[in-house]
Protein backbone atom coordinates (compact mmCIF):
# COMPACT_ATOMS: atom_id res chain seq x y z
CA UNK A 1 0.00 0.00 0.00
CA UNK A 2 0.82 3.69 0.34
CA UNK A 3 3.16 3.19 3.27
CA UNK A 4 5.65 1.18 1.20
CA UNK A 5 7.03 4.65 0.35
CA UNK A 6 8.54 4.84 3.85
CA UNK A 7 10.35 1.48 3.73
CA UNK A 8 13.56 2.72 1.98
CA UNK A 9 13.86 5.21 4.86
CA UNK A 10 13.77 2.22 7.23
CA UNK A 11 16.66 0.61 5.32
CA UNK A 12 18.60 3.89 5.64
CA UNK A 13 18.68 3.49 9.43
CA UNK A 14 18.77 -0.30 9.64
CA UNK A 15 20.78 -1.64 6.70
CA UNK A 16 20.56 -5.40 6.28
CA UNK A 17 18.80 -5.65 9.65
CA UNK A 18 16.02 -3.53 8.18
CA UNK A 19 15.64 -6.04 5.35
CA UNK A 20 15.60 -8.88 7.86
CA UNK A 21 12.93 -7.05 9.83
CA UNK A 22 10.72 -6.78 6.71
CA UNK A 23 10.90 -10.59 6.41
CA UNK A 24 10.51 -11.16 10.16
CA UNK A 25 7.48 -8.86 10.38
CA UNK A 26 5.83 -10.71 7.47
CA UNK A 27 6.34 -14.09 9.19
CA UNK A 28 5.10 -12.88 12.58
CA UNK A 29 2.08 -10.99 11.16
CA UNK A 30 1.12 -14.06 9.11
CA UNK A 31 1.32 -16.25 12.24
CA UNK A 32 -0.57 -13.81 14.51
CA UNK A 33 -3.26 -13.42 11.83
CA UNK A 34 -3.80 -17.18 11.88
CA UNK A 35 -3.93 -17.48 15.67
CA UNK A 36 -6.30 -14.51 15.85
CA UNK A 37 -8.73 -16.36 13.56
CA UNK A 38 -8.24 -19.53 15.64
CA UNK A 39 -9.62 -17.56 18.61
CA UNK A 40 -12.93 -17.15 16.75
CA UNK A 41 -13.55 -20.90 16.96
CA UNK A 42 -14.29 -23.36 19.75
CA UNK A 43 -15.05 -27.07 19.95
CA UNK A 44 -18.72 -27.95 20.58
CA UNK A 45 -20.15 -30.97 22.44
CA UNK A 46 -19.90 -33.12 19.32
CA UNK A 47 -16.21 -32.38 18.90
CA UNK A 48 -16.81 -30.09 15.90
CA UNK A 49 -14.91 -26.81 15.50
CA UNK A 50 -17.49 -24.02 15.16
CA UNK A 51 -17.25 -20.23 14.81
CA UNK A 52 -18.58 -18.68 18.01
CA UNK A 53 -17.21 -15.12 17.61
CA UNK A 54 -17.36 -12.63 14.77
CA UNK A 55 -14.83 -9.89 15.44
CA UNK A 56 -11.62 -8.79 17.14
CA UNK A 57 -13.81 -7.09 19.78
CA UNK A 58 -15.67 -10.35 20.52
CA UNK A 59 -12.34 -12.12 21.08
CA UNK A 60 -11.16 -9.37 23.44
CA UNK A 61 -14.42 -9.45 25.42
CA UNK A 62 -14.22 -13.26 25.74
CA UNK A 63 -10.73 -12.96 27.22
CA UNK A 64 -11.82 -10.43 29.84
CA UNK A 65 -15.06 -12.23 30.81
CA UNK A 66 -16.57 -12.79 33.32
CA UNK A 67 -15.08 -10.05 35.54
CA UNK A 68 -14.80 -7.33 32.89
CA UNK A 69 -17.01 -8.47 29.98
CA UNK A 70 -16.64 -5.26 27.93
CA UNK A 71 -13.17 -4.01 28.92
CA UNK A 72 -11.26 -5.92 26.25
CA UNK A 73 -13.60 -4.77 23.50
CA UNK A 74 -13.23 -1.14 24.53
CA UNK A 75 -9.42 -1.39 24.51
CA UNK A 76 -9.48 -2.93 21.02
CA UNK A 77 -11.97 -0.30 19.81
CA UNK A 78 -9.73 2.52 21.05
CA UNK A 79 -6.68 0.95 19.36
CA UNK A 80 -8.64 0.46 16.12
CA UNK A 81 -9.90 4.03 16.11
CA UNK A 82 -6.40 5.43 16.77
CA UNK A 83 -4.89 3.33 13.97
CA UNK A 84 -7.63 4.12 11.44
CA UNK A 85 -7.69 7.86 12.20
CA UNK A 86 -3.87 8.03 12.13
CA UNK A 87 -3.98 6.31 8.74
CA UNK A 88 -6.36 9.02 7.51
CA UNK A 89 -4.04 11.71 8.91
CA UNK A 90 -1.06 10.14 7.13
CA UNK A 91 -2.94 10.27 3.81
CA UNK A 92 -3.55 14.01 4.26
CA UNK A 93 0.08 14.57 5.34
CA UNK A 94 1.48 12.72 2.35
CA UNK A 95 -0.91 14.53 -0.04
CA UNK A 96 0.26 17.94 1.16
CA UNK A 97 3.92 16.85 1.14
CA UNK A 98 3.74 15.43 -2.38
CA UNK A 99 1.95 18.41 -3.93
CA UNK A 100 4.32 20.88 -2.27
CA UNK A 101 7.39 19.01 -3.54
CA UNK A 102 5.87 18.55 -7.02
CA UNK A 103 5.20 22.25 -7.55
CA UNK A 104 7.76 24.12 -5.40
CA UNK A 105 7.55 27.24 -7.58
CA UNK A 106 3.87 27.81 -6.83
CA UNK A 107 3.11 30.21 -3.93
CA UNK A 108 1.24 27.47 -2.06
CA UNK A 109 2.53 26.07 1.24
CA UNK A 110 2.36 22.42 2.31
CA UNK A 111 -0.37 23.33 4.81
CA UNK A 112 -2.42 24.95 2.05
CA UNK A 113 -2.09 21.83 -0.11
CA UNK A 114 -3.31 19.76 2.86
CA UNK A 115 -6.35 22.04 3.18
CA UNK A 116 -7.11 21.64 -0.54
CA UNK A 117 -6.81 17.84 -0.23
CA UNK A 118 -9.17 17.82 2.76
CA UNK A 119 -11.73 19.92 0.85
CA UNK A 120 -11.74 17.15 -1.79
CA UNK A 121 -12.23 14.54 0.97
CA UNK A 122 -15.22 16.20 2.69
CA UNK A 123 -17.78 14.17 0.63
CA UNK A 124 -16.48 11.08 2.50
CA UNK A 125 -18.76 12.21 5.34
CA UNK A 126 -21.75 11.15 3.19
CA UNK A 127 -20.57 7.55 2.63
CA UNK A 128 -23.28 5.05 3.61
CA UNK A 129 -21.82 1.64 2.72
CA UNK A 130 -18.74 -0.21 1.46
CA UNK A 131 -20.06 -0.45 -2.11
CA UNK A 132 -18.95 3.10 -2.91
CA UNK A 133 -15.69 2.63 -0.98
CA UNK A 134 -14.83 -0.50 -3.02
CA UNK A 135 -14.94 1.52 -6.26
CA UNK A 136 -12.41 3.97 -4.83
CA UNK A 137 -10.23 1.05 -3.73
CA UNK A 138 -10.17 -0.39 -7.26
CA UNK A 139 -8.99 2.93 -8.74
CA UNK A 140 -6.48 3.18 -5.89
CA UNK A 141 -4.99 -0.22 -6.82
CA UNK A 142 -4.58 0.80 -10.45
CA UNK A 143 -2.81 4.02 -9.42
CA UNK A 144 -0.51 2.02 -7.15
CA UNK A 145 0.61 -0.23 -10.01
CA UNK A 146 1.54 2.81 -12.11
CA UNK A 147 3.51 4.34 -9.22
CA UNK A 148 5.50 1.17 -8.49
CA UNK A 149 6.35 0.63 -12.15
CA UNK A 150 7.58 4.24 -12.59
CA UNK A 151 9.70 4.27 -9.40
CA UNK A 152 11.25 0.83 -9.96
CA UNK A 153 11.89 1.57 -13.66
CA UNK A 154 13.81 4.73 -12.72
CA UNK A 155 15.81 2.87 -10.06
CA UNK A 156 16.71 0.10 -12.52
CA UNK A 157 17.87 2.71 -15.04
CA UNK A 158 20.50 3.75 -12.47
CA UNK A 159 21.54 0.19 -11.55
CA UNK A 160 25.17 0.86 -12.55
CA UNK A 161 25.45 3.49 -9.81
CA UNK A 162 23.85 1.44 -7.03
CA UNK A 163 25.66 1.99 -3.72
CA UNK A 164 25.95 -1.59 -2.43
CA UNK A 165 28.71 -0.51 -0.05
CA UNK A 166 26.22 1.72 1.79
CA UNK A 167 24.07 -1.25 2.89
CA UNK A 168 25.73 -2.33 6.12
CA UNK A 169 25.05 -4.46 9.18
CA UNK A 170 25.21 -1.58 11.65
CA UNK A 171 22.10 0.25 12.81
CA UNK A 172 21.34 3.79 13.89
CA UNK A 173 20.43 3.03 17.52
CA UNK A 174 18.46 6.26 17.90
CA UNK A 175 16.44 6.09 14.67
CA UNK A 176 16.16 2.35 13.98
CA UNK A 177 13.29 1.86 16.48
CA UNK A 178 11.32 4.33 14.33
CA UNK A 179 12.05 2.04 11.35
CA UNK A 180 10.56 -0.87 13.31
CA UNK A 181 7.30 1.06 13.65
CA UNK A 182 7.30 1.93 9.93
CA UNK A 183 7.79 -1.72 8.91
CA UNK A 184 5.19 -3.04 11.36
CA UNK A 185 2.66 -0.42 10.24
CA UNK A 186 3.09 -1.46 6.61
CA UNK A 187 1.84 -4.97 7.51
CA UNK A 188 -1.08 -4.12 9.80
CA UNK A 189 -4.22 -5.94 8.66
CA UNK A 190 -5.36 -7.87 11.73
CA UNK A 191 -8.38 -5.66 12.42
CA UNK A 192 -9.85 -6.65 9.03
CA UNK A 193 -9.07 -10.39 9.17
CA UNK A 194 -12.10 -11.68 11.17
CA UNK A 195 -14.49 -10.01 8.71
CA UNK A 196 -12.42 -11.18 5.73
CA UNK A 197 -12.34 -14.81 6.91
CA UNK A 198 -16.05 -14.73 7.69
CA UNK A 199 -16.85 -13.62 4.13
CA UNK A 200 -14.66 -16.16 2.34
CA UNK A 201 -16.51 -18.74 0.25
CA UNK A 202 -14.18 -21.39 1.65
CA UNK A 203 -12.79 -20.31 5.06
CA UNK A 204 -10.60 -23.44 5.13
CA UNK A 205 -8.36 -21.71 2.56
CA UNK A 206 -7.64 -18.84 4.95
CA UNK A 207 -4.22 -20.18 6.00
CA UNK A 208 -3.19 -20.69 2.39
CA UNK A 209 -4.33 -17.18 1.54
CA UNK A 210 -2.34 -15.72 4.47
CA UNK A 211 0.81 -17.60 3.46
CA UNK A 212 0.80 -16.49 -0.17
CA UNK A 213 -0.25 -12.88 0.45
CA UNK A 214 2.45 -12.38 3.09
CA UNK A 215 5.11 -14.05 0.93
CA UNK A 216 4.17 -11.79 -1.98
CA UNK A 217 4.07 -8.68 0.25
CA UNK A 218 7.43 -9.54 1.83
CA UNK A 219 9.18 -10.02 -1.54
CA UNK A 220 7.70 -6.88 -3.11
CA UNK A 221 8.34 -4.67 -0.07
CA UNK A 222 11.88 -5.98 0.41
CA UNK A 223 12.82 -5.48 -3.25
CA UNK A 224 11.21 -2.04 -3.42
CA UNK A 225 12.95 -0.86 -0.24
CA UNK A 226 16.37 -2.24 -1.26
CA UNK A 227 16.29 -1.03 -4.88
CA UNK A 228 15.18 2.46 -3.84
CA UNK A 229 17.79 2.70 -1.08
CA UNK A 230 20.59 1.49 -3.40
CA UNK A 231 19.66 4.24 -5.85
CA UNK A 232 19.84 7.15 -3.38
CA UNK A 233 21.75 5.70 -0.38
CA UNK A 234 22.33 8.38 2.28
CA UNK A 235 20.14 10.86 0.38
CA UNK A 236 17.04 8.69 0.91
CA UNK A 237 14.13 10.81 2.16
CA UNK A 238 11.10 10.00 4.31
CA UNK A 239 8.86 9.72 1.24
CA UNK A 240 11.00 8.06 -1.44
CA UNK A 241 9.34 9.86 -4.36
CA UNK A 242 10.85 13.13 -3.08
CA UNK A 243 14.20 11.76 -4.36
CA UNK A 244 13.02 11.51 -7.98
CA UNK A 245 14.04 14.14 -10.58
CA UNK A 246 11.54 17.01 -10.76
CA UNK A 247 9.95 15.97 -14.10
CA UNK A 248 9.32 12.34 -13.09
CA UNK A 249 8.50 13.34 -9.51
CA UNK A 250 5.63 15.59 -10.61
CA UNK A 251 4.00 12.75 -12.60
CA UNK A 252 4.51 10.11 -9.89
CA UNK A 253 3.38 12.45 -7.13
CA UNK A 254 0.14 13.29 -8.93
CA UNK A 255 -0.61 9.56 -9.11
CA UNK A 256 0.37 9.24 -5.45
CA UNK A 257 -1.92 12.06 -4.39
CA UNK A 258 -4.75 10.44 -6.35
CA UNK A 259 -3.96 7.14 -4.60
CA UNK A 260 -3.87 8.80 -1.17
CA UNK A 261 -7.21 10.53 -1.75
CA UNK A 262 -8.77 7.32 -3.08
CA UNK A 263 -7.35 5.34 -0.13
CA UNK A 264 -8.73 7.74 2.50
CA UNK A 265 -12.41 6.60 2.34
CA UNK A 266 -11.74 3.02 3.52
CA UNK A 267 -10.05 3.76 6.90
CA UNK A 268 -12.36 6.77 7.37
CA UNK A 269 -15.48 4.66 6.83
CA UNK A 270 -14.10 1.92 9.10
CA UNK A 271 -13.32 4.47 11.84
CA UNK A 272 -16.81 5.96 11.56
CA UNK A 273 -18.36 2.48 11.81
CA UNK A 274 -16.36 1.66 14.97
CA UNK A 275 -17.25 5.01 16.56
CA UNK A 276 -20.94 4.74 15.70
CA UNK A 277 -21.16 1.14 16.86
CA UNK A 278 -19.35 1.70 20.16
CA UNK A 279 -20.72 5.14 21.11
CA UNK A 280 -24.10 5.47 19.39
CA UNK A 281 -25.52 2.03 18.59
CA UNK A 282 -24.49 -0.26 21.45
CA UNK A 283 -28.04 -0.81 22.75
CA UNK A 284 -28.66 0.48 26.28
CA UNK A 285 -24.91 0.89 26.81
CA UNK A 286 -24.58 3.56 24.11
CA UNK A 287 -23.17 6.87 25.37
CA UNK A 288 -25.11 9.01 22.87
CA UNK A 289 -28.41 8.72 20.96
CA UNK A 290 -28.41 6.96 17.57
CA UNK A 291 -27.03 8.93 14.61
CA UNK A 292 -29.68 7.44 12.31
CA UNK A 293 -33.40 8.14 12.19
CA UNK A 294 -36.15 5.55 11.96
CA UNK A 295 -36.00 5.65 8.14
CA UNK A 296 -32.29 4.82 8.20
CA UNK A 297 -31.19 8.32 7.18
CA UNK A 298 -28.22 9.97 8.84
CA UNK A 299 -29.27 12.75 11.22
CA UNK A 300 -27.83 16.24 10.69
CA UNK A 301 -25.79 16.14 13.88
CA UNK A 302 -24.43 12.70 12.88
CA UNK A 303 -23.26 14.20 9.58
CA UNK A 304 -21.71 17.10 11.51
CA UNK A 305 -19.69 14.64 13.60
CA UNK A 306 -18.40 12.94 10.44
CA UNK A 307 -17.37 16.30 8.98
CA UNK A 308 -15.66 17.12 12.29
CA UNK A 309 -13.63 13.89 11.99
CA UNK A 310 -12.45 14.93 8.49
CA UNK A 311 -11.47 18.37 9.83
CA UNK A 312 -9.66 16.74 12.78
CA UNK A 313 -7.48 14.72 10.38
CA UNK A 314 -6.65 17.99 8.60
CA UNK A 315 -5.66 19.79 11.81
CA UNK A 316 -3.41 16.91 12.85
CA UNK A 317 -1.82 16.83 9.38
CA UNK A 318 -1.15 20.59 9.54
CA UNK A 319 0.39 20.62 13.00
CA UNK A 320 2.28 17.29 12.79
CA UNK A 321 3.43 17.09 9.12
CA UNK A 322 6.09 14.38 9.62
CA UNK A 323 5.22 11.30 7.56
CA UNK A 324 7.87 8.81 8.74
CA UNK A 325 7.69 9.82 12.42
CA UNK A 326 3.88 9.63 12.48
CA UNK A 327 4.00 6.27 10.72
CA UNK A 328 6.60 4.97 13.19
CA UNK A 329 4.61 6.27 16.17
CA UNK A 330 1.38 4.64 14.99
CA UNK A 331 3.11 1.38 14.11
CA UNK A 332 4.75 1.23 17.53
CA UNK A 333 1.66 2.22 19.50
CA UNK A 334 -1.30 0.45 17.86
CA UNK A 335 0.31 -1.60 15.07
CA UNK A 336 2.49 -3.65 17.41
CA UNK A 337 -0.40 -3.99 19.89
CA UNK A 338 -2.97 -5.21 17.37
CA UNK A 339 -0.55 -7.34 15.32
CA UNK A 340 1.83 -8.78 17.94
CA UNK A 341 0.76 -8.32 21.56
CA UNK A 342 -3.01 -8.88 21.64
CA UNK A 343 -3.24 -11.88 19.23
CA UNK A 344 -0.55 -13.82 21.12
CA UNK A 345 -2.10 -12.89 24.49
CA UNK A 346 -5.63 -13.87 23.37
CA UNK A 347 -4.36 -17.13 21.88
CA UNK A 348 -2.72 -18.11 25.17
CA UNK A 349 -5.79 -17.11 27.19
CA UNK A 350 -8.52 -18.80 25.09
CA UNK A 351 -6.71 -21.90 23.80
CA UNK A 352 -4.18 -22.57 26.56
CA UNK A 353 -5.24 -26.17 27.20
CA UNK A 354 -5.00 -27.18 23.54
CA UNK A 355 -1.68 -25.53 22.67
CA UNK A 356 1.49 -27.50 22.02
CA UNK A 357 4.69 -26.37 23.72
CA UNK A 358 6.10 -24.73 20.58
CA UNK A 359 2.90 -22.68 20.13
CA UNK A 360 3.25 -21.44 23.71
CA UNK A 361 6.91 -20.60 23.06
CA UNK A 362 6.07 -18.67 19.86
CA UNK A 363 3.26 -16.75 21.55
CA UNK A 364 5.37 -15.76 24.55
CA UNK A 365 8.36 -14.84 22.35
CA UNK A 366 6.20 -12.69 20.06
CA UNK A 367 4.60 -10.97 23.03
CA UNK A 368 8.00 -10.16 24.62
CA UNK A 369 9.68 -9.05 21.36
CA UNK A 370 6.59 -7.10 20.32
CA UNK A 371 6.46 -5.36 23.69
CA UNK A 372 10.13 -4.33 23.51
CA UNK A 373 9.77 -3.08 19.91
CA UNK A 374 6.56 -1.23 20.75
CA UNK A 375 7.96 0.62 23.76
CA UNK A 376 11.32 1.51 22.15
CA UNK A 377 9.69 2.56 18.86
CA UNK A 378 7.09 4.70 20.63
CA UNK A 379 9.70 6.46 22.79
CA UNK A 380 12.06 7.18 19.89
CA UNK A 381 9.26 8.29 17.55
CA UNK A 382 7.97 10.65 20.24
CA UNK A 383 11.49 11.98 20.80
CA UNK A 384 11.84 12.46 17.03
CA UNK A 385 8.60 14.46 16.89
CA UNK A 386 9.67 16.64 19.83
CA UNK A 387 13.05 17.21 18.17
CA UNK A 388 11.37 18.06 14.85
CA UNK A 389 9.21 20.69 16.54
CA UNK A 390 12.22 22.21 18.25
Amino acid sequence: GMFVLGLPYAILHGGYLGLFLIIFAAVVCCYTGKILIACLYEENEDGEIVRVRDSYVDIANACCAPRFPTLGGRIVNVAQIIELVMTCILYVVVSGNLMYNSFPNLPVSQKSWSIIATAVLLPCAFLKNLKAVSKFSLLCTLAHFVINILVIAYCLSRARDWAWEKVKFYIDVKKFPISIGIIVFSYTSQIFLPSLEGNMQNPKEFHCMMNWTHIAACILKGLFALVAYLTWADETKEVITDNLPSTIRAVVNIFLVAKALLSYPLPFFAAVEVLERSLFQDGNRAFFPNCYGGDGRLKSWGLTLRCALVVFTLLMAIYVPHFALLMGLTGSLTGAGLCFLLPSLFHLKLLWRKLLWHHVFFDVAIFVIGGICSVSGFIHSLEGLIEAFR
Side-chain angles (χ1 to χ4, degrees):
M2 191 78 181
F3 306 110
V4 171
L5 300 176
L7 292 180
Y9 187 75
I11 303 298
L12 171 66
H13 298 302
Y16 284 112
L17 189 57
L19 282 174
F20 168 77
L21 194 59
I22 290 174
I23 299 169
F24 178 75
V27 173
V28 173
C29 286
C30 182
Y31 173 76
T32 56
K34 292 176 183 177
I35 63 174
L36 184 68
I37 297 304
C39 293
L40 296 173
Y41 292 84
E42 283 188 6
E43 191 175 302
N44 65 13
E45 295 176 355
D46 299 325
E48 298 174 339
I49 303 297
V50 294
R51 203 176 202 260
V52 296
R53 304 178 187 98
D54 294 320
S55 66
Y56 208 139
V57 171
D58 290 343
I59 296 170
N61 284 334
C63 286
C64 293
R67 290 187 178 180
F68 308 102
T70 61
L71 177 63
R74 288 178 180 175
I75 292 172
V76 169
N77 273 335
V78 169
Q80 287 181 339
I81 291 168
I82 291 173
E83 180 158 315
L84 291 167
V85 172
M86 286 297 287
T87 302
C88 292
I89 293 167
L90 283 165
Y91 284 136
V92 179
V93 169
V94 80
S95 296
N97 176 284
L98 292 169
M99 292 303 292
Y100 178 72
N101 285 297
S102 299
F103 306 102
N105 296 324
L106 291 179
V108 183
S109 66
Q110 182 173 331
K111 292 180 180 179
S112 299
W113 280 120
S114 295
I115 293 171
I116 294 169
T118 307
V120 176
L121 294 169
L122 268 176
C124 290
F126 296 90
L127 288 171
K128 292 184 178 180
N129 53 55
L130 279 173
K131 188 175 182 180
V133 176
S134 65
K135 295 177 182 177
F136 291 124
S137 297
L138 174 61
L139 294 172
C140 169
T141 304
L142 295 175
H144 191 65
F145 275 117
V146 174
I147 294 161
N148 281 355
I149 289 169
L150 289 173
V151 173
I152 292 174
Y154 178 80
C155 292
L156 291 175
S157 71
R158 292 186 53 188
R160 292 183 179 179
D161 302 322
W162 281 357
W164 285 100
E165 70 282 357
K166 293 289 185 178
V167 188
K168 299 179 180 178
F169 285 97
Y170 81 94
I171 62 172
D172 185 330
V173 177
K174 188 175 181 181
K175 293 186 176 181
F176 183 65
I178 301 172
S179 301
I180 296 173
I182 292 172
I183 292 168
V184 170
F185 191 64
S186 74
Y187 279 107
T188 53
S189 63
Q190 266 69 358
I191 59 176
F192 303 108
L193 292 182
S195 176
L196 175 65
E197 192 263 356
N199 284 284
M200 289 179 69
Q201 289 184 350
N202 187 1
K204 292 180 180 179
E205 294 180 353
F206 178 80
H207 281 214
C208 180
M209 179 276 294
M210 287 292 287
N211 291 337
W212 284 109
T213 51
H214 280 76
I215 289 170
C218 176
I219 292 171
L220 292 173
K221 288 176 181 180
L223 288 175
F224 183 90
L226 180 61
V227 166
Y229 175 73
L230 289 173
T231 304
W232 289 287
D234 294 338
E235 301 298 319
T236 300
K237 297 183 180 179
E238 288 186 16
V239 181
I240 195 61
T241 53
D242 288 347
N243 288 103
L244 292 167
S246 56
T247 51
I248 302 175
R249 184 172 67 230
V251 176
V252 172
N253 283 357
I254 288 171
F255 274 100
L256 273 171
V257 171
K259 175 176 168 49
L261 297 179
L262 291 167
S263 298
Y264 184 97
L266 180 59
F268 176 81
F269 184 78
V272 166
E273 274 201 321
V274 174
L275 282 169
E276 289 180 349
R277 187 172 59 249
S278 57
L279 298 178
F280 301 92
Q281 297 171 353
D282 196 12
N284 296 326
R285 294 175 296 178
F287 292 95
F288 305 103
N290 203 320
C291 312
Y292 297 90
D295 56 356
R297 291 186 179 182
L298 189 66
K299 293 179 181 178
S300 57
W301 66 270
L303 180 61
T304 303
L305 288 174
R306 288 184 174 208
C307 292
L309 183 58
V310 177
V311 174
F312 173 75
T313 61
L314 167 65
L315 294 175
M316 284 293 292
I318 287 176
Y319 290 106
V320 195
H322 304 285
F323 181 73
L325 291 174
L326 273 176
M327 191 173 162
L329 183 68
T330 308
S332 300
L333 183 63
T334 60
L338 292 170
C339 290
F340 294 171
L341 304 180
L342 293 182
S344 55
L345 186 63
F346 294 164
H347 195 225
L348 288 169
K349 170 70 174 175
L350 294 175
L351 301 174
W352 172 260
R353 295 179 181 179
K354 300 177 183 178
L355 296 181
L356 300 175
W357 71 268
H358 60 275
H359 290 142
V360 175
F361 173 78
F362 288 150
D363 289 350
V364 172
I366 289 169
F367 185 84
V368 172
I369 295 171
I372 294 170
C373 291
S374 178
V375 172
S376 62
F378 177 76
I379 292 172
H380 285 86
S381 295
L382 202 58
E383 286 179 349
L385 283 172
I386 294 170
E387 198 173 300
F389 278 108
R390 286 176 178 171

